[in-house]
Amino acid sequence: VHYSGRYFMRAGSSLVPMSPDQLRKIFDEGQDDFVEQPARRGCSEEDVMQLLDVQSYFDLRKRPFPSTRREALDALVQKQFLRSDGAGFAITNMGALLLAKRMADFETVTRKAVRVVVYDGISKAKVRGGKDVTEPQGYAVAFQALVDLIHSESAHEDMTKAVRTTTHAYPKKAIREIVGNALVHQDFNERGTAVVVDIYDDRIEVTNPGVPILPLDRFIENRQRDMAPDD
């Protein structure tokens, strides 16, 4: 219902104005998903090679780099990281999110860069040694380095003995799983916010923007339904 420049919706027995985010989702229905939309248009082959870490794509897939640059870019087109755009290419948001050398080069995803903050103690009162880092590269390019950073910053050193020992509070595999899920399952339509990893002395908190599709009270229920009685 539209009235006097405002759009209203039902909320129980009342009519309430819709938020800008709700309106945007309605008006965007039928359009391409965020990851399929262009992040940068009119790019030449040279532009793509400068903006995206194409070599990392083939390294991660354990495939040799093609014999020609055009073959390499054609492979990215097949994965929808690029689109043909007249005589050149359009880099999609997915291409920028995963392979950007600098996410700041893409206005649509610059605020989606992962932020890692290490605190002294168990509160946000003090950042440890200025350790507030925003990862500038795309998710696929920087993922291993990001996991290594979180793993190392959550370690504790014991210097009470003759030989200093380092104990890691969390397995690297668990960090990789949690951070990977946070990246994949964020709401990319939420602008101006990204995945944040807060590291405290007694815990790590990983936050991603948006609302889960599955209700929170069903997270454990669904897992239990999939398990055998003796698991």
Side-chain angles (χ1 to χ4, degrees):
V1 177
H2 174 268
Y3 178 73
S4 296
R6 305 175 75 186
Y7 291 85
F8 288 81
M9 66 178 186
R10 298 284 298 185
S13 59
S14 304
L15 281 175
V16 296
M18 301 182 75
S19 69
D21 285 341
Q22 289 170 317
L23 286 171
R24 187 177 66 248
K25 288 180 180 179
I26 292 174
F27 294 145
D28 287 346
E29 287 180 0
Q31 297 184 10
D32 290 340
D33 290 340
F34 174 80
V35 294
E36 298 172 345
Q37 295 172 14
R40 192 151 177 167
R41 295 180 181 272
C43 298
S44 65
E45 291 186 7
E46 291 78 9
D47 293 334
V48 174
M49 299 300 292
Q50 289 178 359
L51 293 166
L52 301 184
D53 193 337
V54 181
Q55 180 67 57
S56 286
Y57 168 77
F58 292 97
D59 290 344
L60 290 168
R61 301 203 67 191
K62 295 182 171 59
R63 291 171 52 188
F65 196 88
S67 56
T68 67
R69 184 168 63 185
R70 183 68 194 204
E71 287 180 287
L73 299 188
D74 286 343
L76 298 189
V77 171
Q78 291 178 4
K79 292 297 182 181
Q80 299 184 359
F81 299 152
L82 299 177
R83 285 183 179 176
S84 295
D85 186 24
F89 297 95
I91 299 174
T92 65
N93 284 327
M94 178 178 290
L97 282 168
L98 295 180
L99 300 176
K101 290 181 179 178
R102 284 178 12 100
M103 292 181 73
D105 290 333
F106 301 91
E107 184 179 353
T108 56
V109 303
T110 184
R111 294 185 179 275
K112 288 297 180 182
V114 182
R115 182 183 176 201
V116 179
V117 188
V118 185
Y119 295 98
D120 262 334
I122 60 174
S123 72
K124 293 187 176 182
K126 182 180 179 183
V127 176
R128 184 188 304 168
K131 292 185 177 180
D132 185 342
V133 179
T134 299
E135 175 54 58
Q137 296 177 304
Y139 297 160
V141 176
F143 187 67
Q144 188 57 57
L146 179 64
V147 171
D148 290 342
L149 171 64
I150 298 169
H151 190 240
S152 64
E153 290 296 346
S154 59
H156 301 281
E157 291 186 343
D158 183 358
M159 294 184 289
T160 60
K161 301 177 183 178
V163 178
R164 183 174 62 182
T165 59
T166 301
T167 303
H168 292 278
Y170 311 97
K172 187 176 289 188
K173 184 176 180 179
I175 296 172
R176 183 185 302 115
E177 183 73 13
I178 292 170
V179 174
N181 274 284
L183 293 174
V184 171
H185 296 295
Q186 65 178 296
D187 185 349
F188 291 105
N189 291 311
E190 292 282 343
R191 308 297 171 86
T193 181
V195 172
V196 179
V197 181
D198 293 317
I199 303 175
Y200 303 88
D201 284 354
D202 63 343
R203 68 193 186 280
I204 297 176
E205 294 181 0
V206 182
T207 309
N208 65 349
V211 178
I213 296 175
L214 190 68
L216 294 178
D217 59 0
R218 293 186 60 195
F219 277 12
I220 298 176
E221 174 189 280
N222 273 27
R223 174 61 182 154
Q224 289 176 336
R225 186 180 299 130
D226 294 337
M227 296 169 64
D230 295 333
D231 284 349

